[in-house]
Amino acid sequence: MPSLTLAEARARADLLQVTDMEVDLDLDQGAEHFGSVTRLHLRASGDGQTFVDVDPVSLHAIRLDGVELDVALQAERRYPLTLTAGDHVVEVEATMAFSHDGEGLHRATDPADGQDYVYGHLFLDAAPTVFACVDQPDLKAPYTMTVRAPQGWSVIGNGRATLVEGVWHLRRTQPLATYFVSVCAGPYASVTAEHDGIRLGLHGRASLRAELERHAPQMLEVTRASFDYFHSIFGIRYPFDDYDQVFAPEFNAGAMENPGCVVFRDSYLFRGAASRSEVLTRSNTISHEMAHMWFGDLVTMRWWDDLWLNESFAEYMAHRCLVAATDFEDAWVDSTATRKAWGYAAERSPSTHPVAGSPAPDARSALANFDGISYAKGAAVIRQLIAYIGDDAFLAGIRDYLGAHAFGNGELADFLAAMERASGRSLADWAQAWLSTAGVDALAVDRATAQLVRTPPAEQPAQRPHALDVATWSGGSLTSRVELTATDDTTPLPGLDTTAPLVVPNAADLTWATGLLDERSLAALTSELPAVTDAQTRAVVWVGLRDQLALGLVDPRLLVDLAEVALPHESDDSVLASVGMHLTGTVVRSYLPAAEEAPARARMAALGERILADAEPGSSRALHAARLVARTTDDVEGRLRPWADGEGLPQGLEDDADLRWVVLGQLARRGLLDADGVAAAREQDRTMAGNLGALTARAAIPTPEAKAQAWASLTTDRSLSNYELVAVASGFWGPADRSLVEPYVARYFEDVPAMAGHLGDSALARVASIAYPSRFGTPETRALSQACLARDDLDPTVRRAVVDQQSQLEEVVRSRARYGA
């Protein structure tokens, strides 16, 4: 099916305005289909040919200005129209299908009570599967909606919903892009409040009422603080209706910024113990989505190549807000430890792209650029912009940009013009270097000359100015810190203590660069890093080591050695969690030689036991340590079996079902829990999370029969939802006996691409990435991957996933070749 091209969008925008949208949905027609009636109010600037977007199960009627048209003309998600100049009304009656892959109008059943829930996720081009529309971001319109839903359901949408004689009427909205329209319906539990004249709502599945009510005070606190902060700096009050936040089952992304109806994945309603870093992540997401009410919703990008005007700003503003207005003053440390690590990995891939202006010839291709560059790098670039023009000018430019384009669209040139007016400086060269050119510079310190050395990537040269610092440490004491702006390939560092054991470029993580530690600093890490008192510097060092590992510049054994001495002293929750996950999920599992994997995992288990023994009972630190032990221990009788039975668990984890499924998965992976045992555990936890845990554990069972069944479920069972497919993929590749899954390495490159015919792009991208055989980091796997990419019939979403995963596999192959395989 075609995806809207930029040329088509421009031609349609030249001809049409969408002046109003009326949508009536009937969700009370059973579990598979729903009714959709749309009245599109269009204004044509002249006579011309165009089309509306609609993707129905069955198109019952279409009328133009009351005249019946031939429904047989609908094809490939489009209906052609011939319009004359002036105003028109197009009425479309259709039956649509609920989805199970997280796109369109997704319907899920909660096994805890058998209740069904619906949420609308119309990004990126899924709106035509819900209602007829002109589906492009620059043709915004007000929406008036009605929804008929089963008795006992509530309805939440972009406008306040009122029930009148069995039908929910949603208040008319401000102009919205199609991809922001959402309806959530089901027997949701709710918590309501009010702040500064804004009605607030939090909603979750009925079976999660206790979790919703337990977490609501903290989530409302962050919501209120974010509103106050953004009102204080943007100069425009929240411009939409009530502010509802819906925690929906099987949601594809972390969250989606639908105006007045933000949708989150409901795993944020932690049912077990939650660490501080997890609550920080949720708080950051709450603030991020609210920032979108201005960046994205009030002012929307004209086309998908300006995605950064949404995501980079929300990413930056959320961290800024948390630091300034909440208790999470360490939010930038979390950004370094988690978000920037993700972004640097994207930058190393052949699929890297500029922050702004990435080619998006059609809507579908733009989906590939929703990655760590659009988010983490974009936020870092904004910090560099502020260093370049000053914060006062930046905020003045923001207010100018938002005010000039409110309820309309903006693009890169509009934003830069506002910043230039506010600062009085030309940004042409700066924007070319930072926004329009891909790539990451390497920064290193030459001790002999006391200079910072900047090395741009050869394939993407640019003269990027870096505002940053360099810090030196000895015995836990900061011995010098030099702040500078590097505009040349070498920059003097006056006053730098070049004799210090540890020299850290970009220690405060102010810029976007690969910070390379010199050989003396690398040698000193095991003695110096545990004593460094600055969490931001420690996060920078760990993320820098990830980069140097991926580039083949450090032995993976160094990271294992360093973890043993540094993590027992690590006080920052985000650093502890992210380093532990990277070590167990990547370093030990992929980079180390196969013969060293089990001993290294045992060392990680012992490390977890040490931290657990010293941690305050019930603390975040204890939680991370217990999870580390559960992922790595071989102590079946002392840890795995008792914890699976709920015995001897650390304080605060006695009823943690999610930790129990990690343990059960480890027992299954070792062949100590069969399918009947998994089923019995599933009966004790008849929840959505329990279902996913059971699917992962069953896929982990190390028998040929279990692997064959899991692979068939993954690649051919169309009844599985997006979350269920990910759960199966997550458990598949893990047995100690790799021969059980080795035959599936080649099968991945045939069977997973074939899934493109029945799975939406967002779900397909995630499944293709998680199912990729990265555990087999060999030249043979690389050759199979390269052959797959050589196909001319490969789906673009699968292609992007394989490109990125192959890039990481090549990093492993390079490391093993250098440091021993």
Side-chain angles (χ1 to χ4, degrees), residues 181-195:
V181 178
S182 185
V183 168
C184 299
Y188 280 100
S190 300
V191 173
T192 59
E194 187 170 318
H195 178 67

Side-chain angles (χ1 to χ4, degrees), residues 3-63:
S3 182
L4 182 72
T5 68
L6 174 58
E8 290 173 326
R10 290 290 181 261
R12 195 158 57 166
D14 287 342
L15 177 66
L16 292 181
Q17 288 179 289
V18 184
T19 58
D20 221 333
M21 289 287 292
E22 299 175 76
V23 179
D24 303 322
L25 300 179
D26 184 356
L27 309 186
D28 198 15
Q29 297 186 3
E32 296 301 320
H33 299 126
F34 62 95
S36 173
V37 176
T38 313
R39 287 168 294 280
L40 301 89
H41 296 258
L42 308 178
R43 179 170 298 148
S45 60
D47 299 348
Q49 301 287 327
T50 188
F51 58 92
V52 296
D53 304 287
V54 59
D55 188 14
V57 172
S58 177
L59 183 61
H60 304 303
I62 182 165
R63 291 178 286 274

